[in-house]
Amino acid sequence: MDEFKSLLKDYVSFKTISTDKNFLNEIKNCSQWLANLFAKNKFNVKVIEGFGNPIILAEYIFDKSKKTCLIYGHYDVQPANLNEGWRSDPFVLLEDKNKFYARGVADNKGQNLIHIFSISQLKKENKLNYNIKFLIEGNEETGSEKLPLFIKKFKNLLKSDFVLISDGEIVNNIPIIDSGFRGVVNFSLIIKTANKDFHSGLYGGAIPNSVHEAIKILSKLFKNEDEIRIKDFYKGIKLKKEIIENNKKLPFNIKKFKKENNLKKLFIKNLDFYSKTGLWPTLQITGIAAGYYGEGYRNAIPAETLIKFNLRFLENQNVNELKKSIKNFFREKIPNYVNYELKFEDFAPAVSLDLKNEYIQRAKDILKSVFKREAVFKFSGGTLPIVYYLKNILKVPQVLVPLANEDCNMHSINENFNKSLIEKGLLFSKLFFSNGK
């Protein structure tokens, strides 16, 4: 653990925030640190430019008669600032009792480092059961837009028998194998009622207010329990009974969850929590900006309001049809005295995986031996773009084994990784990649 901790401390110290161009130098330094780490452990390493942030390819092929595993991870992270409520500098590893705290410690630096570390140890001991290839990228948090082009161009270099990815959380103390992901589309709606803000005393009540108009439009978007009123939003959804039954194996303590997060209600009347978040589409407002919200008051009528949305959809839904329905909804609901602009931007497809192969079974068996509990398949409401690209371009089996704790606070303040789960992750990785000698 001390050796792993030392590497983790260095790894999380790089401010690899891919959403902010001010951190490009940190990203470059981190990619070089990774390349040096692989080279030190006698991997063949390539740092590939031209597809967004640098991509690290590292391989160790020792026996062509052996199967080859491609391991994916990402070194970029979400933004983090001390003044958001972090216990300490988010880019300095904090060890407290049974956890490590830092931005990226769970998502995804800590998890991919587990495999880098354990495989490097097995390699030194001559105990590897598979040839190994690593693909570590730096644009996952911005949607991995250029990754499919990269995979197509370097398909031969990435050739493998199967893929293993650790990026996500277990449930309680139950090991998880991810079955698939919802797709995602981010879009924004800009509402304009005038070409400038107006004095609220001189003009208030006589001219339209962009915030008022936004409220009226958004109130037409949701029914009770946030059901979406857009026509055909739920078209084509068919939930398999066996998947619903599988999800019921995942424990979820509603009272505890509500208490820990100061929630008074959950919208899960007709579905369990994991079916609702993994197998049901949703449209969430993720940001609203308008007018003045600094200290004191500026008594002016806002002429423009920006609303940001996050759409999550299923594999059997037609995303182009969904976008068309969204456009029609706003066209019908926005009055003709309001100018508006609808911009669709980030996109990642939904995907489900084949779970009947020898690699999944091996992972299940080893997870059971490590956790002393049976692994459960789970559909994730989040998105991991590479899974779709690997499925449709490389066309090889994928094994998705998340290793982080359920309360790791990915994308939030005080992101953390439970030390006991790091130890279990290291053991899982060692056993999975070992030849058993």
Side-chain angles (χ1 to χ4, degrees):
M1 179 58 81
D2 287 342
E3 192 177 347
F4 179 85
K5 175 185 169 183
S6 177
L7 289 171
L8 184 62
K9 181 181 178 182
D10 290 343
Y11 200 2
V12 300
S13 70
F14 297 102
K15 299 176 182 178
T16 50
I17 302 169
S18 56
T19 56
D20 190 334
K21 292 180 180 178
N22 291 316
F23 295 97
L24 287 175
N25 199 49
E26 294 272 347
I27 285 168
K28 181 180 178 181
N29 290 340
C30 183
S31 64
Q32 192 56 57
W33 180 87
L34 277 167
N36 292 341
L37 179 62
F38 281 118
K40 181 181 176 182
N41 287 286
K42 310 298 182 185
F43 284 80
N44 293 321
V45 191
K46 288 182 173 66
V47 179
I48 298 175
E49 308 271 1
F51 298 88
N53 293 326
I55 295 173
I56 311 300
L57 277 184
E59 69 172 24
Y60 177 64
I61 309 296
F62 67 97
D63 184 346
K64 291 187 177 180
S65 69
K66 296 278 190 182
K67 299 287 181 71
T68 298
C69 177
L70 173 65
I71 301 162
Y72 166 84
H74 64 91
Y75 63 82
D76 64 321
V77 299
Q78 286 284 316
N81 288 296
L82 180 61
N83 59 15
E84 294 171 334
W86 284 79
R87 298 178 57 184
S88 60
D89 186 332
F91 295 97
V92 176
L93 189 68
L94 171 67
E95 183 177 2
D96 182 26
K97 296 180 181 177
N98 64 335
K99 288 184 175 183
F100 290 122
Y101 292 82
R103 173 58 87 222
V105 72
D107 183 21
N108 174 250
K109 291 176 177 177
Q111 295 201 58
N112 64 62
L113 185 61
I114 282 174
H115 297 307
I116 296 170
F117 185 85
S118 67
I119 288 168
S120 296
Q121 295 297 315
L122 289 170
K123 182 176 172 294
K124 291 173 186 174
E125 298 165 7
N126 196 30
K127 291 182 179 179
L128 271 175
N129 191 45
Y130 299 106
N131 296 310
I132 300 294
K133 295 183 180 181
F134 277 96
L135 163 56
I136 314 289
E137 65 143 325
N139 282 106
E140 194 275 341
E141 301 294 2
T142 58
S144 303
E145 182 183 358
K146 296 181 180 179
L147 204 57
L149 296 175
F150 168 81
I151 295 171
K152 288 174 183 176
K153 184 170 181 178
F154 292 94
K155 190 174 179 180
N156 289 335
L157 278 180
L158 298 171
K159 188 177 179 181
S160 52
D161 294 287
F162 72 104
V163 175
L164 184 134
I165 302 173
S166 291
D167 188 345
E169 308 160 1
I170 68 170
V171 174
N172 203 340
N173 196 39
I174 297 176
I176 296 298
I177 295 176
D178 283 322
S179 308
F181 300 89
R182 291 190 293 190
V184 61
V185 175
N186 287 319
F187 66 95
S188 60
L189 174 66
I190 301 170
I191 292 172
K192 295 181 179 181
T193 52
N195 60 3
K196 62 182 178 182
D197 293 353
F198 283 84
H199 191 295
S200 60
L202 299 177
Y203 298 94
I207 67 171
N209 182 315
S210 70
V211 178
H212 296 182
E213 298 304 324
I215 291 169
K216 287 185 272 186
I217 294 161
L218 296 178
S219 68
K220 299 171 184 176
L221 189 56
F222 302 99
K223 296 182 184 179
N224 292 335
E225 301 219 345
D226 275 2
E227 184 180 349
I228 309 302
R229 283 179 161 141
I230 295 172
K231 184 181 178 182
D232 294 333
F233 188 81
Y234 300 102
K235 183 179 179 181
I237 300 172
K238 294 179 180 178
L239 302 187
K240 293 181 179 179
K241 186 177 179 181
E242 60 266 28
I243 296 176
I244 299 293
E245 292 302 313
N246 173 82
N247 286 350
K248 290 177 181 178
K249 297 177 184 177
L250 294 165
F252 182 72
N253 189 322
I254 294 177
K255 288 184 179 179
K256 181 182 177 185
F257 184 80
K258 287 164 69 174
K259 183 178 179 181
E260 288 177 347
N261 296 284
N262 197 26
L263 287 161
K264 292 185 177 181
K265 183 178 176 62
L266 294 181
F267 298 153
I268 53 173
K269 183 171 63 177
N270 298 318
L271 287 170
D272 65 273
F273 179 82
Y274 293 107
S275 295
K276 188 69 181 283
T277 57
L279 293 164
W280 201 250
T282 183
L283 181 62
Q284 296 292 315
I285 297 169
T286 56
I288 299 179
Y292 176 76
Y293 41 87
E295 186 175 351
Y297 298 88
R298 182 173 71 90
N299 298 319
I301 301 166
E304 181 173 316
T305 297
L306 167 67
I307 309 157
K308 292 192 174 185
F309 296 87
N310 177 253
L311 167 67
R312 303 279 173 165
F313 61 93
L314 308 185
E315 188 178 39
N316 58 358
Q317 289 187 290
N318 185 316
V319 69
N320 290 323
E321 289 296 323
L322 275 174
K323 288 163 73 173
K324 184 178 177 181
S325 295
I326 291 168
K327 289 176 183 178
N328 288 339
F329 174 87
F330 288 118
R331 186 184 299 116
E332 292 171 5
K333 303 301 180 185
I334 297 176
N336 58 16
Y337 58 82
V338 173
N339 294 314
Y340 74 95
E341 182 181 2
L342 195 60
K343 295 198 301 186
F344 290 91
E345 297 180 274
D346 303 332
F347 166 77
V351 62
S352 60
L353 296 172
D354 172 23
L355 302 174
K356 295 178 180 179
N357 59 71
E358 62 180 282
Y359 311 108
I360 290 283
Q361 190 56 52
R362 179 175 174 83
K364 282 190 71 177
D365 293 343
I366 293 172
L367 285 169
K368 184 177 181 180
S369 72
V370 170
F371 284 84
K372 311 303 179 188
R373 302 184 73 167
E374 200 79 46
V376 177
F377 294 121
K378 176 179 174 288
F379 278 87
S380 174
T383 303
L384 195 56
I386 189 150
V387 175
Y388 175 88
Y389 304 136
L390 292 174
K391 177 182 177 180
N392 289 278
I393 300 171
L394 288 191
K395 298 182 179 179
V396 294
Q398 297 183 65
V399 184
L400 274 57
V401 181
L403 299 172
N405 38 295
E406 196 170 13
D407 60 348
C408 68
N409 291 345
M410 286 188 184
H411 292 210
S412 188
I413 61 170
N414 298 316
E415 182 179 342
N416 64 85
F417 203 156
N418 189 298
K419 286 193 280 187
S420 67
L421 285 180
I422 290 176
E423 289 170 351
K424 287 180 178 177
L426 287 166
L427 179 56
F428 164 78
S429 186
K430 179 182 177 181
L431 293 173
F432 186 88
F433 292 106
S434 172
N435 58 18
K437 290 182 181 178

